Amino acid sequence: MTSPTKQLAEELSATTLLRFATAGSVDDGKSTLVGRLLHDSKSVLADQLEAVEHASRSRGQEAPDLALLTDGLRAEREQGITIDVAYRYFATARRRFILADTPGHVQYTRNMVTGASTAELTVILVDARNGVVEQTRRHAAIAALLRVPHVVLAVNKMDLVGYQEPVFAAIAEEFTAYASELGVQEITAIPISALAGDNVVDASANMDWYGGPTVLEHLETVPVSHDLTSCHARFPVQYVIRPQTAEHPDYRGYAGQIAAGTFRVGESVTVLPSGQTSKIAGIDLLGRAVDVAWTPQSVTLLLEDDIDISRGDIVVPSGDAPATTQDVEATVCHVADQPLAVGQRVLLKHTTRTVKAIVKDIPSKLTLDDLSQHPAPGRLVANDIGRVKVRTAEPLALDSYADSRRTGSFLLIDPSDGTTLAAGMAGESFATTKATPVQDDDGWDF
Amino acid sequence: MTTSVDIASGATGSPYALTHLDALESEGVHIFREVAGEFERPVILFSGGKDSIVMLHLALKAFAPAAVPFSLLHVDTGHNFPEVIEYRDRTVARHGLRLHVASVQDYIDAGKLRERPDGTRNPLQTVPLTEAIQQHRFDAVFGGGRRDEEKARAKERVFSLRDEFSQWDPRRQRPELWQLYNGRHAPGEHVRVFPLSNWTELDVWQYIAREGIELPEIYFAHEREVFARGGMWLTAGEWGGPKDDETVEKRLIRYRTVGDMSCTGAVDSDAATLDAVITEIAASRLTERGATRADDKLSEAAMEDRKREGYF
């Protein structure tokens, strides 16, 4: 017979994990929404609340300032602003959540990019009184650029517009049209009041015209895995395991985390960039032999043939190998204070492989406000998003970011001090597909 | 291309959805393997507490059937629970690991550190830790810190660059994008690595239960002589408690964290099994550190300040 505690433990361990990010301008009520999600899901514990109350009182504030729950650094509390991405954790009976809490300020594009890079869902807040503003479009563009699979438009402060359906409907329609054009795959619009608690955790009694889920219900039920049968399977080799012990004299396993798709025993595989082929003889899922494994499981692959494979190689199904290239075209978000310029020598980190590279061209820079392209900026500075062409010293098996967020993404690193300069997304982006001007043979170079 | 995969679907209906524990485990293993692939001399900070025990368990899984390719480092405050030291030594022997010990007592005896008036040695760990890192030229140092523990830790990266003085500058951290961890560092610098960043206290306990991991007994309810100080139950010991006006009593308690005896408080509890502990944690209205750590109450930014100096 199962004991009640055993049952609790089983229920808890059957839950899944959703990583999501929030985006909103400074006064859209993001902290209030985050505070309410944490508070109403009982993730703020008594001593944390007590600490916030104490700190609020000592500054002469009457009500506890819930922003103090999320602003963890001395400078943030002193200045009353959020200066960096923080990660929050909360749980319901159905799911556990990792929230990338990103500052809303315009110049922190890089922070939203950081939060969105691992998110499966982004909540974009708008103030119902202001509707879709420039900042909203910027957030939608970043969500589209980073290919976040699910976007929630939270139309906040509905209490300040009399909970009127037409106000919500107009904003939802305008946003959906804009975001769909950018290629956002799924958009869910929810009318809320974070302050009053309408449709955040509990359904609102003030908006009976709304029949959809609350924010939390949606977070709990949105799918976290995709149809892997249509994905290109990719396995970057992290580390070669060779015990060379009496018990395992000939064991040679290729350890890594499956970056996309599924792998199964018996499958013919090709190792890139060398192009050698073999068959999967076995898959070890952290101590258990399995017939099939899929992303994002960390596994060890055993191959039938003793071929030369090392960290940085990518194992793919033989019939589904990406082309290897030394000429990378990508959209990058510049995340460092020092600039990135044409001619600069950098390191490119793609999956488990880091290679030397040179920036051949920066054909254009994107203005997020209206998605217009500025040709040949020469260099990119912090928070810029631009197109780059990079030549690498060794061939890379690079997918398009549109096909695989994991094997289509890379970092550009400054070899002199190790600074992460830019976050790269290989292949076309919405920005280039949208660009309409006819290019001459020299591209943007006029 | 592929035929349909025959796997029982979980609670969410998708055959490919991992449980949250599987997802966290996979991420943790990925982080260990990244470090093994990119660094020359990594070390795992091991205190015998539950977080470092889970870290070691992940490392053992990540490299099996080969041995863990790192040694362990324990920063010994000299005020340890004997059960924990016994557990530490047994674990090291069982897995054939190499253990380095950096001793606060040695530093005090040598006159390099001075005992604090309150007897708390937790903040004194920073110097032996950073000197051990330099002495052994460790370039990656695994810590069991979790972002849910404390608000300064919520700002911590998975790969966190430290300068030659082991200092953390929260305003100059590298953005961490996708699963692409940047471990570049200059000679003398090192990277602190936190494979449990995304775990919560409850995740740690559920994982321990699922994997059947053994823990030091003090994590489970037992009768112990304790006395009250600063709203917490502390264990009497040679470290300087109780004082004359503090009375010792026998209570049924357990520890939620394991650290320096002088500042790690016990909680009243009858949870004697893993299931009972999980139920207790799930219902608790106090955070782990709020319930049991005196040193975090020193100021609003106590942890941030210690971390800036090189604390883990």
Side-chain angles (χ1 to χ4, degrees):
Chain A
M1 213 181 81
T2 350
S3 68
T5 53
K6 192 109 190 156
Q7 200 183 329
L8 171 75
E10 279 167 9
E11 276 170 22
L12 288 171
S13 59
T15 56
T16 50
L17 190 64
L18 177 76
R19 290 168 202 252
F20 74 106
T22 54
S25 307
V26 179
D27 294 318
D28 285 346
K30 194 168 65 67
S31 298
T32 319
L33 175 65
V34 170
R36 185 158 287 283
L37 275 173
L38 295 174
H39 185 268
D40 291 6
S41 64
K42 298 187 171 51
S43 302
V44 179
L45 299 184
D47 56 314
Q48 291 171 317
L49 208 54
E50 194 189 311
V52 165
E53 281 164 359
H54 182 261
S56 304
R57 263 200 311 276
S58 70
R59 282 152 204 231
Q61 291 169 305
E62 278 178 24
D65 181 358
L66 283 181
L68 293 175
L69 275 176
T70 53
D71 288 343
L73 302 176
R74 193 184 276 282
E76 292 177 322
R77 288 190 299 276
E78 282 164 4
Q79 297 170 36
I81 54 155
T82 314
I83 60 171
D84 205 347
V85 186
Y87 295 88
R88 317 272 158 218
Y89 303 85
F90 68 101
T92 66
R94 300 165 85 168
R95 190 167 267 177
R96 317 219 113 202
F97 301 96
I98 299 176
L99 160 59
D101 187 10
T102 62
H105 221 275
V106 181
Q107 69 255 41
Y108 295 125
T109 301
R110 62 181 172 199
N111 285 339
M112 190 185 161
V113 168
T114 301
S117 73
T118 51
E120 301 230 35
L121 179 147
T122 295
V123 180
I124 297 176
L125 267 120
V126 301
D127 184 326
R129 295 169 303 175
N130 305 331
V132 175
V133 295
E134 255 180 43
Q135 184 76 326
T136 319
R137 282 192 279 272
R138 210 171 278 139
H139 292 149
I142 293 173
L145 194 64
L146 271 287
R147 311 241 173 209
V148 180
H150 310 278
V151 169
V152 171
L153 175 74
V155 181
N156 192 23
K157 306 195 184 180
M158 285 299 292
D159 52 320
L160 300 182
V161 295
Y163 295 111
Q164 294 176 67
E165 181 175 17
V167 175
F168 168 73
I171 296 170
E173 194 182 336
E174 185 185 350
F175 180 84
T176 305
Y178 181 78
S180 305
E181 201 187 330
L182 294 175
V184 173
Q185 294 153 27
E186 192 202 273
I187 301 152
T188 305
I190 304 176
I192 67 166
S193 166
L195 194 67
D198 295 283
N199 289 335
V200 176
V201 171
D202 301 312
S204 169
N206 298 310
M207 291 178 277
D208 50 11
W209 45 264
Y210 173 74
T214 66
V215 173
L216 187 65
E217 274 166 14
H218 184 66
L219 293 174
E220 282 182 313
T221 52
V222 75
V224 287
S225 55
H226 310 288
D227 180 16
L228 301 181
T229 50
S230 62
C231 285
H232 307 288
R234 302 289 183 255
F235 182 81
V237 175
Q238 269 191 294
Y239 190 77
V240 182
I241 295 178
R242 291 190 66 194
Q244 295 177 292
T245 54
E247 204 184 334
H248 302 281
D250 302 318
Y251 186 99
R252 189 181 173 89
Y254 305 100
Q257 188 173 29
I258 298 175
T262 62
F263 285 89
R264 51 182 70 237
V265 172
E267 196 173 357
S268 295
V269 290
T270 299
V271 181
L272 298 174
S274 73
Q276 298 173 93
T277 57
S278 184
K279 274 191 173 155
I280 297 177
I283 303 175
D284 175 14
L285 178 63
L286 302 182
R288 185 162 54 92
V290 293
D291 291 331
V292 57
W294 58 91
T295 180
Q297 290 177 330
S298 279
V299 298
T300 306
L301 295 187
L302 302 161
L303 300 185
E304 282 185 3
D305 307 288
D306 210 3
I307 54 180
D308 178 25
I309 308 179
S310 56
R311 176 173 170 83
D313 291 342
I314 296 188
V315 179
V316 301
S318 288
D320 183 24
T324 58
T325 180
Q326 285 178 256
D327 292 294
V328 178
E329 289 196 47
T331 302
V332 302
C333 175
H334 195 71
V335 296
D337 292 330
Q338 65 234 56
L340 181 76
V342 173
Q344 195 169 333
R345 291 181 184 277
V346 293
L347 295 171
L348 187 153
K349 177 161 187 171
H350 170 246
T351 67
T352 55
R353 193 177 190 84
T354 303
V355 297
K356 287 181 182 171
I358 185 162
V359 180
K360 292 300 241 187
D361 192 13
I362 302 180
S364 64
K365 189 173 94 171
L366 178 72
T367 304
L368 270 177
D369 303 345
D370 60 0
L371 301 182
S372 65
Q373 302 274 2
H374 286 238
R379 57 179 217 159
L380 298 174
V381 299
N383 298 302
D384 278 352
I385 290 174
R387 296 285 296 169
V388 297
K389 291 181 180 176
V390 174
R391 171 82 179 171
T392 59
E394 297 165 41
L396 293 177
L398 200 73
D399 285 294
S400 158
Y401 187 76
D403 289 337
S404 167
R405 293 172 86 190
R406 189 119 183 203
T407 53
S409 58
F410 60 85
L411 302 180
L412 296 182
I413 296 169
D414 186 332
S416 67
D417 63 2
T419 302
T420 300
L421 295 171
M425 291 153 276
E428 301 291 300
S429 77
F430 65 84
T432 51
T433 54
K434 198 180 179 318
T436 41
V438 181
Q439 296 180 27
D440 60 21
D441 288 346
D442 297 315
W444 289 109
D445 194 17
F446 45 69
Chain B
M1 187 189 86
T2 35
T3 51
S4 71
V5 180
D6 216 7
I7 296 134
S9 43
T12 57
S14 166
Y16 296 113
L18 301 192
T19 68
H20 81 279
L21 286 181
D22 284 329
L24 292 172
E25 179 187 60
S26 179
E27 179 181 73
V29 165
H30 172 73
I31 293 163
F32 271 106
R33 289 168 170 177
E34 278 301 282
V35 171
E38 299 239 309
F39 291 83
E40 297 290 322
R41 295 176 66 84
V43 70
I44 300 176
L45 290 178
F46 188 79
S47 65
K50 64 183 186 311
D51 300 312
S52 58
I53 290 168
V54 166
M55 267 208 302
L56 179 59
H57 186 83
L58 289 174
L60 288 162
K61 281 190 130 177
F63 302 102
V68 174
F70 320 125
S71 55
L72 305 185
L73 171 64
H74 182 212
V75 183
D76 183 347
T77 64
H79 292 160
N80 296 291
F81 294 92
E83 298 93 328
V84 176
I85 294 297
E86 190 267 330
Y87 178 95
R88 178 196 78 183
D89 293 340
R90 191 153 36 88
T91 303
V92 166
R94 184 167 136 208
H95 300 295
L97 298 160
R98 180 163 175 226
L99 174 74
H100 308 275
V101 178
S103 160
V104 172
Q105 188 64 55
D106 288 352
Y107 275 75
I108 292 172
D109 293 346
K112 291 200 229 163
L113 280 177
R114 190 179 297 174
E115 194 91 74
R116 292 158 51 103
D118 62 4
T120 295
R121 286 185 172 181
N122 217 26
L124 301 184
Q125 293 180 89
T126 302
V127 171
L129 168 67
T130 55
E131 289 199 7
I133 290 169
Q134 278 156 24
Q135 184 201 333
H136 294 284
R137 290 179 288 112
F138 295 127
D139 55 0
V141 180
F142 288 100
R146 309 187 317 262
R147 292 192 187 123
D148 81 317
E149 281 182 274
E150 210 277 335
K151 56 196 170 192
R153 282 195 166 152
K155 297 276 174 179
E156 182 68 88
R157 299 289 184 264
V158 175
F159 272 40
S160 183
L161 183 67
R162 303 300 169 105
D163 67 13
E164 58 191 312
F165 302 101
S166 288
Q167 296 179 116
W168 182 60
D169 186 349
R171 301 197 77 156
R172 298 178 64 86
Q173 302 189 81
R174 290 172 180 163
E176 215 148 62
L177 297 132
W178 298 286
Q179 286 80 12
L180 292 168
Y181 302 110
N182 177 358
R184 309 290 295 189
H185 61 281
E189 295 178 339
H190 71 278
V191 174
R192 297 279 171 92
V193 183
F194 300 98
L196 305 185
S197 283
N198 288 321
W199 297 50
T200 65
E201 184 187 15
L202 194 54
D203 296 330
V204 166
W205 278 104
Q206 287 178 248
Y207 188 71
I208 287 166
R210 186 185 89 170
E211 299 287 301
I213 302 169
E214 191 202 339
L215 292 182
E217 308 93 272
I218 65 169
Y219 278 114
F220 302 98
H222 58 289
E223 285 210 322
R224 178 181 283 261
E225 291 198 330
V226 290
F227 64 94
R229 182 184 290 177
M232 288 190 304
W233 296 117
L234 298 182
T235 293
E238 290 175 10
W239 57 270
K243 291 178 186 153
D244 290 345
D245 57 344
E246 293 167 330
T247 46
V248 169
E249 56 183 292
K250 204 167 217 181
R251 298 187 73 90
L252 187 61
I253 56 98
R254 69 174 201 87
Y255 284 88
R256 267 173 88 172
T257 66
V258 162
D260 187 87
M261 275 173 112
S262 64
C263 62
T264 305
V267 294
D268 287 314
S269 169
D270 60 1
T273 64
L274 280 170
D275 282 349
V277 169
I278 289 169
T279 308
E280 185 184 284
I281 301 282
S284 173
R285 300 297 302 140
L286 287 178
T287 64
E288 177 180 339
R289 300 196 80 85
T292 66
R293 286 302 177 95
D295 46 335
D296 288 339
K297 297 184 174 169
L298 297 176
S299 88
E300 209 184 332
M303 175 66 87
E304 180 183 345
D305 294 343
R306 284 208 307 278
K307 281 172 67 67
R308 279 175 178 276
E309 287 167 18
Y311 189 78
F312 29 90

